[in-house]
Amino acid sequence: MGLTRSGAMGLAALAVRPANAGESDLANLDAPLPADFHALARDAGEPQLPGLAIVYLHPLGKPADADRWRNIIVHQTEGAAGAAKSMALAQAKDPEKRGVMIWVETDGMVYWSTAETAIPTHGDGANRNDSKYIDNAKTYHAVVKTNSIGVEFNGNYPDVTKPATPEQVRAWLLLVRFLQERYRIAAENIYAHNWIDYKDARYCEGCELESLARKLAYEPGRAP
């Protein structure tokens, strides 16, 4: 299938800090939602959200046909800048391989790689049970690939401690609300990969991005 690029390529020209920004910075990162956001988020095909550039490798269907999704897991990968497209294409060819449904490049471009009913292999079965970051009694062997959408942020190579780019942060704060609205996912069900699995000890994978998403405190169904 050919690539379809969002018609709304322009991102707001905001002064943005990296993903370790505090609450005082969140207002600068948080782009307003369009008046028709609810309809856009629930639409089939290739819905285009102003301010978010998405390449759909597979069109969306009806949200009711993908009602398994209860959680969102934020991942980061050590791919070099520019590698998200090739990883998304490989995922599209083999949807259930190890990987995720959605990939985000360092420039903020989002690649939706699989059908929303596909189940890519991501995470390690929610095997963390030490409650280091959150109470894992609620996640242990419960927040898994069959009920969780994976979003992978590419580009922390060669330094895994490097935060997401400002463009990735801007894209994420729109994308996460799109996913929450589409699948009726509460903010408390957004997780960093390190929160639910034992991961690379050098950094906390997905933690800064996840924290920003929770600070938005978006409630599906609310007025934009």
Side-chain angles (χ1 to χ4, degrees), residues 165-185:
T165 67
E167 292 80 9
Q168 285 177 317
V169 173
R170 282 196 290 263
W172 168 236
L173 294 180
L174 289 169
L175 174 64
V176 69
R177 285 176 289 178
F178 180 89
L179 297 175
Q180 286 182 262
E181 184 65 32
R182 185 169 184 83
Y183 305 112
R184 301 295 193 249
I185 298 174

PDB file of all heavy atoms in Angstrom, residues 165-185:
ATOM      1  N   THR A 165      12.803  14.509  21.102  1.00  0.00           N
ATOM      2  CA  THR A 165      12.973  15.837  20.520  1.00  0.00           C
ATOM      3  C   THR A 165      11.740  16.697  20.790  1.00  0.00           C
ATOM      4  O   THR A 165      10.649  16.171  21.060  1.00  0.00           O
ATOM      5  CB  THR A 165      13.181  15.748  19.000  1.00  0.00           C
ATOM      6  OG1 THR A 165      11.961  15.275  18.402  1.00  0.00           O
ATOM      7  CG2 THR A 165      14.337  14.825  18.652  1.00  0.00           C
ATOM      8  N   PRO A 166      11.873  18.018  20.718  1.00  0.00           N
ATOM      9  CA  PRO A 166      10.700  18.885  20.871  1.00  0.00           C
ATOM     10  C   PRO A 166       9.599  18.544  19.871  1.00  0.00           C
ATOM     11  O   PRO A 166       8.416  18.608  20.196  1.00  0.00           O
ATOM     12  CB  PRO A 166      11.270  20.291  20.636  1.00  0.00           C
ATOM     13  CG  PRO A 166      12.707  20.185  21.041  1.00  0.00           C
ATOM     14  CD  PRO A 166      13.123  18.809  20.610  1.00  0.00           C
ATOM     15  N   GLU A 167       9.984  18.166  18.647  1.00  0.00           N
ATOM     16  CA  GLU A 167       8.984  17.804  17.625  1.00  0.00           C
ATOM     17  C   GLU A 167       8.244  16.530  18.033  1.00  0.00           C
ATOM     18  O   GLU A 167       7.031  16.402  17.805  1.00  0.00           O
ATOM     19  CB  GLU A 167       9.669  17.616  16.280  1.00  0.00           C
ATOM     20  CG  GLU A 167      10.235  18.890  15.664  1.00  0.00           C
ATOM     21  CD  GLU A 167      11.584  19.293  16.252  1.00  0.00           C
ATOM     22  OE1 GLU A 167      12.177  18.502  17.014  1.00  0.00           O
ATOM     23  OE2 GLU A 167      12.035  20.410  15.942  1.00  0.00           O
ATOM     24  N   GLN A 168       8.941  15.586  18.629  1.00  0.00           N
ATOM     25  CA  GLN A 168       8.293  14.365  19.104  1.00  0.00           C
ATOM     26  C   GLN A 168       7.344  14.668  20.254  1.00  0.00           C
ATOM     27  O   GLN A 168       6.251  14.099  20.339  1.00  0.00           O
ATOM     28  CB  GLN A 168       9.334  13.337  19.538  1.00  0.00           C
ATOM     29  CG  GLN A 168      10.033  12.660  18.375  1.00  0.00           C
ATOM     30  CD  GLN A 168      11.116  11.701  18.820  1.00  0.00           C
ATOM     31  OE1 GLN A 168      11.901  12.006  19.718  1.00  0.00           O
ATOM     32  NE2 GLN A 168      11.183  10.536  18.196  1.00  0.00           N
ATOM     33  N   VAL A 169       7.746  15.566  21.127  1.00  0.00           N
ATOM     34  CA  VAL A 169       6.890  15.933  22.252  1.00  0.00           C
ATOM     35  C   VAL A 169       5.602  16.584  21.749  1.00  0.00           C
ATOM     36  O   VAL A 169       4.498  16.248  22.188  1.00  0.00           O
ATOM     37  CB  VAL A 169       7.628  16.875  23.220  1.00  0.00           C
ATOM     38  CG1 VAL A 169       6.676  17.396  24.294  1.00  0.00           C
ATOM     39  CG2 VAL A 169       8.801  16.150  23.871  1.00  0.00           C
ATOM     40  N   ARG A 170       5.728  17.529  20.818  1.00  0.00           N
ATOM     41  CA  ARG A 170       4.531  18.191  20.276  1.00  0.00           C
ATOM     42  C   ARG A 170       3.599  17.172  19.636  1.00  0.00           C
ATOM     43  O   ARG A 170       2.381  17.208  19.844  1.00  0.00           O
ATOM     44  CB  ARG A 170       4.932  19.255  19.248  1.00  0.00           C
ATOM     45  CG  ARG A 170       5.449  20.545  19.851  1.00  0.00           C
ATOM     46  CD  ARG A 170       5.452  21.669  18.823  1.00  0.00           C
ATOM     47  NE  ARG A 170       6.459  21.488  17.808  1.00  0.00           N
ATOM     48  CZ  ARG A 170       7.656  22.058  17.819  1.00  0.00           C
ATOM     49  NH1 ARG A 170       8.003  22.837  18.828  1.00  0.00           N
ATOM     50  NH2 ARG A 170       8.516  21.862  16.836  1.00  0.00           N
ATOM     51  N   ALA A 171       4.184  16.262  18.835  1.00  0.00           N
ATOM     52  CA  ALA A 171       3.363  15.244  18.187  1.00  0.00           C
ATOM     53  C   ALA A 171       2.696  14.344  19.217  1.00  0.00           C
ATOM     54  O   ALA A 171       1.510  14.010  19.110  1.00  0.00           O
ATOM     55  CB  ALA A 171       4.222  14.410  17.236  1.00  0.00           C
ATOM     56  N   TRP A 172       3.432  13.950  20.231  1.00  0.00           N
ATOM     57  CA  TRP A 172       2.913  13.038  21.248  1.00  0.00           C
ATOM     58  C   TRP A 172       1.719  13.617  21.991  1.00  0.00           C
ATOM     59  O   TRP A 172       0.717  12.919  22.218  1.00  0.00           O
ATOM     60  CB  TRP A 172       4.036  12.703  22.221  1.00  0.00           C
ATOM     61  CG  TRP A 172       3.647  12.003  23.486  1.00  0.00           C
ATOM     62  CD1 TRP A 172       3.894  12.411  24.763  1.00  0.00           C
ATOM     63  CD2 TRP A 172       2.967  10.735  23.621  1.00  0.00           C
ATOM     64  NE1 TRP A 172       3.415  11.509  25.671  1.00  0.00           N
ATOM     65  CE2 TRP A 172       2.846  10.469  24.994  1.00  0.00           C
ATOM     66  CE3 TRP A 172       2.465   9.827  22.695  1.00  0.00           C
ATOM     67  CZ2 TRP A 172       2.227   9.314  25.477  1.00  0.00           C
ATOM     68  CZ3 TRP A 172       1.843   8.670  23.174  1.00  0.00           C
ATOM     69  CH2 TRP A 172       1.732   8.429  24.542  1.00  0.00           C
ATOM     70  N   LEU A 173       1.772  14.877  22.341  1.00  0.00           N
ATOM     71  CA  LEU A 173       0.694  15.454  23.140  1.00  0.00           C
ATOM     72  C   LEU A 173      -0.609  15.577  22.354  1.00  0.00           C
ATOM     73  O   LEU A 173      -1.694  15.634  22.945  1.00  0.00           O
ATOM     74  CB  LEU A 173       1.115  16.812  23.711  1.00  0.00           C
ATOM     75  CG  LEU A 173       2.251  16.736  24.739  1.00  0.00           C
ATOM     76  CD1 LEU A 173       2.599  18.121  25.261  1.00  0.00           C
ATOM     77  CD2 LEU A 173       1.892  15.811  25.896  1.00  0.00           C
ATOM     78  N   LEU A 174      -0.520  15.598  21.030  1.00  0.00           N
ATOM     79  CA  LEU A 174      -1.724  15.508  20.203  1.00  0.00           C
ATOM     80  C   LEU A 174      -2.109  14.049  19.958  1.00  0.00           C
ATOM     81  O   LEU A 174      -3.273  13.666  20.086  1.00  0.00           O
ATOM     82  CB  LEU A 174      -1.507  16.227  18.863  1.00  0.00           C
ATOM     83  CG  LEU A 174      -1.445  17.745  18.913  1.00  0.00           C
ATOM     84  CD1 LEU A 174      -0.967  18.299  17.580  1.00  0.00           C
ATOM     85  CD2 LEU A 174      -2.803  18.330  19.276  1.00  0.00           C
ATOM     86  N   LEU A 175      -1.117  13.237  19.629  1.00  0.00           N
ATOM     87  CA  LEU A 175      -1.370  11.829  19.314  1.00  0.00           C
ATOM     88  C   LEU A 175      -1.968  11.092  20.490  1.00  0.00           C
ATOM     89  O   LEU A 175      -2.911  10.299  20.324  1.00  0.00           O
ATOM     90  CB  LEU A 175      -0.061  11.153  18.899  1.00  0.00           C
ATOM     91  CG  LEU A 175      -0.116   9.644  18.664  1.00  0.00           C
ATOM     92  CD1 LEU A 175      -1.026   9.307  17.488  1.00  0.00           C
ATOM     93  CD2 LEU A 175       1.296   9.092  18.426  1.00  0.00           C
ATOM     94  N   VAL A 176      -1.469  11.319  21.690  1.00  0.00           N
ATOM     95  CA  VAL A 176      -1.963  10.556  22.834  1.00  0.00           C
ATOM     96  C   VAL A 176      -3.436  10.856  23.094  1.00  0.00           C
ATOM     97  O   VAL A 176      -4.224   9.958  23.415  1.00  0.00           O
ATOM     98  CB  VAL A 176      -1.107  10.810  24.092  1.00  0.00           C
ATOM     99  CG1 VAL A 176      -1.271  12.227  24.639  1.00  0.00           C
ATOM    100  CG2 VAL A 176      -1.438   9.781  25.173  1.00  0.00           C
ATOM    101  N   ARG A 177      -3.856  12.107  22.910  1.00  0.00           N
ATOM    102  CA  ARG A 177      -5.275  12.426  23.109  1.00  0.00           C
ATOM    103  C   ARG A 177      -6.135  11.847  21.987  1.00  0.00           C
ATOM    104  O   ARG A 177      -7.285  11.452  22.222  1.00  0.00           O
ATOM    105  CB  ARG A 177      -5.453  13.937  23.230  1.00  0.00           C
ATOM    106  CG  ARG A 177      -4.992  14.466  24.584  1.00  0.00           C
ATOM    107  CD  ARG A 177      -5.076  15.965  24.695  1.00  0.00           C
ATOM    108  NE  ARG A 177      -4.052  16.595  23.877  1.00  0.00           N
ATOM    109  CZ  ARG A 177      -3.923  17.921  23.754  1.00  0.00           C
ATOM    110  NH1 ARG A 177      -4.756  18.728  24.385  1.00  0.00           N
ATOM    111  NH2 ARG A 177      -2.963  18.428  23.005  1.00  0.00           N
ATOM    112  N   PHE A 178      -5.575  11.793  20.789  1.00  0.00           N
ATOM    113  CA  PHE A 178      -6.277  11.135  19.684  1.00  0.00           C
ATOM    114  C   PHE A 178      -6.534   9.667  20.033  1.00  0.00           C
ATOM    115  O   PHE A 178      -7.649   9.156  19.854  1.00  0.00           O
ATOM    116  CB  PHE A 178      -5.425  11.253  18.420  1.00  0.00           C
ATOM    117  CG  PHE A 178      -6.029  10.622  17.199  1.00  0.00           C
ATOM    118  CD1 PHE A 178      -6.870  11.342  16.375  1.00  0.00           C
ATOM    119  CD2 PHE A 178      -5.753   9.306  16.870  1.00  0.00           C
ATOM    120  CE1 PHE A 178      -7.427  10.764  15.240  1.00  0.00           C
ATOM    121  CE2 PHE A 178      -6.298   8.716  15.739  1.00  0.00           C
ATOM    122  CZ  PHE A 178      -7.142   9.448  14.921  1.00  0.00           C
ATOM    123  N   LEU A 179      -5.518   8.980  20.539  1.00  0.00           N
ATOM    124  CA  LEU A 179      -5.667   7.568  20.917  1.00  0.00           C
ATOM    125  C   LEU A 179      -6.620   7.410  22.089  1.00  0.00           C
ATOM    126  O   LEU A 179      -7.456   6.491  22.111  1.00  0.00           O
ATOM    127  CB  LEU A 179      -4.303   6.975  21.269  1.00  0.00           C
ATOM    128  CG  LEU A 179      -3.276   6.933  20.138  1.00  0.00           C
ATOM    129  CD1 LEU A 179      -1.931   6.437  20.662  1.00  0.00           C
ATOM    130  CD2 LEU A 179      -3.758   6.046  18.993  1.00  0.00           C
ATOM    131  N   GLN A 180      -6.505   8.280  23.064  1.00  0.00           N
ATOM    132  CA  GLN A 180      -7.404   8.205  24.220  1.00  0.00           C
ATOM    133  C   GLN A 180      -8.858   8.374  23.798  1.00  0.00           C
ATOM    134  O   GLN A 180      -9.740   7.639  24.252  1.00  0.00           O
ATOM    135  CB  GLN A 180      -7.040   9.280  25.243  1.00  0.00           C
ATOM    136  CG  GLN A 180      -5.780   9.021  26.033  1.00  0.00           C
ATOM    137  CD  GLN A 180      -5.537  10.110  27.047  1.00  0.00           C
ATOM    138  OE1 GLN A 180      -4.759  11.035  26.798  1.00  0.00           O
ATOM    139  NE2 GLN A 180      -6.209  10.031  28.182  1.00  0.00           N
ATOM    140  N   GLU A 181      -9.093   9.349  22.931  1.00  0.00           N
ATOM    141  CA  GLU A 181     -10.464   9.608  22.488  1.00  0.00           C
ATOM    142  C   GLU A 181     -10.983   8.470  21.618  1.00  0.00           C
ATOM    143  O   GLU A 181     -12.127   8.023  21.775  1.00  0.00           O
ATOM    144  CB  GLU A 181     -10.511  10.930  21.713  1.00  0.00           C
ATOM    145  CG  GLU A 181     -11.908  11.351  21.287  1.00  0.00           C
ATOM    146  CD  GLU A 181     -12.814  11.658  22.475  1.00  0.00           C
ATOM    147  OE1 GLU A 181     -12.312  12.138  23.511  1.00  0.00           O
ATOM    148  OE2 GLU A 181     -14.030  11.413  22.353  1.00  0.00           O
ATOM    149  N   ARG A 182     -10.152   7.984  20.722  1.00  0.00           N
ATOM    150  CA  ARG A 182     -10.590   6.935  19.797  1.00  0.00           C
ATOM    151  C   ARG A 182     -10.957   5.649  20.529  1.00  0.00           C
ATOM    152  O   ARG A 182     -11.956   4.998  20.199  1.00  0.00           O
ATOM    153  CB  ARG A 182      -9.506   6.661  18.760  1.00  0.00           C
ATOM    154  CG  ARG A 182      -9.939   5.668  17.681  1.00  0.00           C
ATOM    155  CD  ARG A 182      -8.970   5.622  16.526  1.00  0.00           C
ATOM    156  NE  ARG A 182      -9.454   4.734  15.479  1.00  0.00           N
ATOM    157  CZ  ARG A 182     -10.328   5.071  14.538  1.00  0.00           C
ATOM    158  NH1 ARG A 182     -10.823   6.291  14.497  1.00  0.00           N
ATOM    159  NH2 ARG A 182     -10.734   4.194  13.624  1.00  0.00           N
ATOM    160  N   TYR A 183     -10.149   5.282  21.525  1.00  0.00           N
ATOM    161  CA  TYR A 183     -10.339   4.001  22.197  1.00  0.00           C
ATOM    162  C   TYR A 183     -10.819   4.142  23.640  1.00  0.00           C
ATOM    163  O   TYR A 183     -10.856   3.152  24.376  1.00  0.00           O
ATOM    164  CB  TYR A 183      -9.034   3.198  22.144  1.00  0.00           C
ATOM    165  CG  TYR A 183      -8.526   3.031  20.734  1.00  0.00           C
ATOM    166  CD1 TYR A 183      -7.358   3.660  20.311  1.00  0.00           C
ATOM    167  CD2 TYR A 183      -9.233   2.274  19.796  1.00  0.00           C
ATOM    168  CE1 TYR A 183      -6.905   3.532  19.009  1.00  0.00           C
ATOM    169  CE2 TYR A 183      -8.790   2.152  18.488  1.00  0.00           C
ATOM    170  CZ  TYR A 183      -7.622   2.781  18.103  1.00  0.00           C
ATOM    171  OH  TYR A 183      -7.175   2.661  16.805  1.00  0.00           O
ATOM    172  N   ARG A 184     -11.172   5.375  24.029  1.00  0.00           N
ATOM    173  CA  ARG A 184     -11.720   5.633  25.363  1.00  0.00           C
ATOM    174  C   ARG A 184     -10.749   5.160  26.456  1.00  0.00           C
ATOM    175  O   ARG A 184     -11.126   4.420  27.374  1.00  0.00           O
ATOM    176  CB  ARG A 184     -13.083   4.957  25.524  1.00  0.00           C
ATOM    177  CG  ARG A 184     -14.139   5.398  24.505  1.00  0.00           C
ATOM    178  CD  ARG A 184     -14.486   6.881  24.694  1.00  0.00           C
ATOM    179  NE  ARG A 184     -15.683   7.245  23.962  1.00  0.00           N
ATOM    180  CZ  ARG A 184     -15.701   8.038  22.891  1.00  0.00           C
ATOM    181  NH1 ARG A 184     -14.564   8.520  22.417  1.00  0.00           N
ATOM    182  NH2 ARG A 184     -16.827   8.358  22.304  1.00  0.00           N
ATOM    183  N   ILE A 185      -9.508   5.604  26.355  1.00  0.00           N
ATOM    184  CA  ILE A 185      -8.463   5.212  27.297  1.00  0.00           C
ATOM    185  C   ILE A 185      -8.207   6.350  28.280  1.00  0.00           C
ATOM    186  O   ILE A 185      -7.902   7.476  27.886  1.00  0.00           O
ATOM    187  CB  ILE A 185      -7.161   4.847  26.559  1.00  0.00           C
ATOM    188  CG1 ILE A 185      -7.399   3.643  25.641  1.00  0.00           C
ATOM    189  CG2 ILE A 185      -6.041   4.552  27.557  1.00  0.00           C
ATOM    190  CD1 ILE A 185      -6.222   3.294  24.756  1.00  0.00           C
TER     191      ILE A 185
END
